[in-house]
Amino acid sequence: MRIEIDRAVANDPEAHNWLDRILAKIDDGWHIWDTTSHSDPRAFEYTAWVEGTGRAEIRVRELHIASVQRNAWQDFELHNRYVRVTANPAEPNELTPENAVRLAEKPLCILVENRESDGGFVKRIIKELNKALWAYIEQPGQPVDFDSLGGIGQMPGAVQDRCEEIPFRPRLVVIADSDRQKPGGDESKAAQILRASCEHFGVPCWILAKRASENYLPRSLLSAWNRTNYRHSKPVDAWDQLTDDQKDYYNMKSGWPEKQCEPSDDLFANLLPADYQKLFNGFGKKVHQCWQQTADDVFRQLQERSRGDLEHGICLILKEV
């Protein structure tokens, strides 16, 4: 986060312990000190908090000088959420020193349907598409926490609980599958309920544009998984023949229902019978393991498979960093 500290708070001795804790998280690299609103940055150096003579005050002074120098370049590409620490909050982004500490010390939570499969998907796309955000996630102290509750049905209640237990908006981003079955199709009812809950509480919510997280897999990762199994290569080749829309809404885990003789939706009407048979059973429930594979050209292929949605999701996360 970008944290601005009001000069009056810095002159209040009762707030100094809270400010020291905020500064500790800034020093850890979780947040940055925003000094851009100071018309005279040097004036802040003469506040009671900075002018102290102890070792802690020396560190405060060093970080303030470094923050002023950095803020002169307006380098806020990574840290986007803005919080102002003040004794008398009047705006949603203004917090008392105590509440600012409660927010600053809490890791950014990325709530997904399944921590292993969907969490692995989010981590991999960040690692490939945004190196700065990946470095932030990987730094010591775990500034980002991936959490799940076992399914999308429990997520709206979790959002409500997290938002109502504190008097300010938590550091939270929610991500879930849309379960759409065709271009322009409706999100699942569960996804609609989750989106409405997030909008009510002002929480960033990324409902995937494609059917599910597996639908963003590039050919390179899909091929690398179970590479030595000849039976795996056949459905991969058939998948590769699909159009982009078909790849976006094909059920990667289950294929098509067992009793269904052929895909019912017009989206797959032109599918060759041989390719239909190869894709009938899908790639199985463990297809998410593809996100852990090593392969070449992943960055470019992810960009092609994204169709802009992966970049959108990363931007939502960046708004809370």
Side-chain angles (χ1 to χ4, degrees), residues 14-167:
E14 294 186 2
H16 290 180
N17 286 337
W18 298 118
L19 297 183
D20 288 344
R21 288 172 61 178
I22 292 173
L23 201 68
K25 303 315 294 183
I26 292 174
D27 206 8
D28 286 344
W30 284 31
H31 314 290
I32 60 174
W33 190 349
D34 188 347
T35 60
T36 54
S37 66
H38 297 174
S39 56
D40 180 10
R42 289 189 59 83
F44 198 93
E45 296 180 21
Y46 299 104
T47 60
W49 183 43
V50 179
E51 275 198 311
T53 58
R55 293 178 62 186
E57 286 76 10
I58 293 174
R59 187 57 181 152
V60 173
R61 192 176 304 111
E62 291 174 345
L63 282 176
H64 181 258
I65 293 172
S67 298
V68 171
Q69 293 173 342
R70 184 200 60 248
N71 291 168
W73 294 94
Q74 298 284 321
D75 185 15
F76 298 139
E77 180 181 354
L78 182 62
H79 298 273
N80 290 278
R81 183 167 176 179
Y82 168 76
V83 170
R84 183 169 182 268
V85 184
T86 175
N88 301 296
E91 301 293 336
N93 62 345
E94 294 183 339
L95 297 176
T96 64
E98 180 178 358
N99 281 338
V101 167
R102 295 172 66 188
L103 183 63
E105 291 184 339
K106 196 78 170 178
L108 166 61
C109 176
I110 298 180
L111 184 64
V112 293
E113 295 184 57
N114 183 288
R115 193 179 315 181
E116 180 181 0
S117 59
D118 300 311
F121 154 70
V122 176
K123 290 178 181 178
R124 185 60 182 267
I125 65 167
I126 292 174
K127 182 178 181 179
E128 296 291 344
L129 300 180
N130 195 300
K131 301 299 184 184
L133 180 55
W134 180 246
Y136 177 83
I137 291 174
E138 286 290 282
Q139 67 181 314
Q142 195 179 355
V144 178
D145 177 42
F146 287 82
D147 196 9
S148 63
L149 302 166
I152 192 172
Q154 301 177 43
M155 293 172 74
V159 171
Q160 179 177 349
D161 291 343
R162 288 171 183 264
C163 291
E164 290 184 345
E165 69 183 5
I166 51 178

Side-chain angles (χ1 to χ4, degrees), residues 213-238:
S213 58
E214 295 83 17
N215 292 94
Y216 296 82
L217 279 166
R219 166 71 191 244
S220 57
L221 293 181
L222 192 59
S223 297
W225 180 55
N226 213 3
R227 187 191 301 272
T228 59
N229 188 335
Y230 176 68
R231 292 182 179 180
H232 176 66
S233 66
K234 290 184 176 182
V236 172
D237 290 340

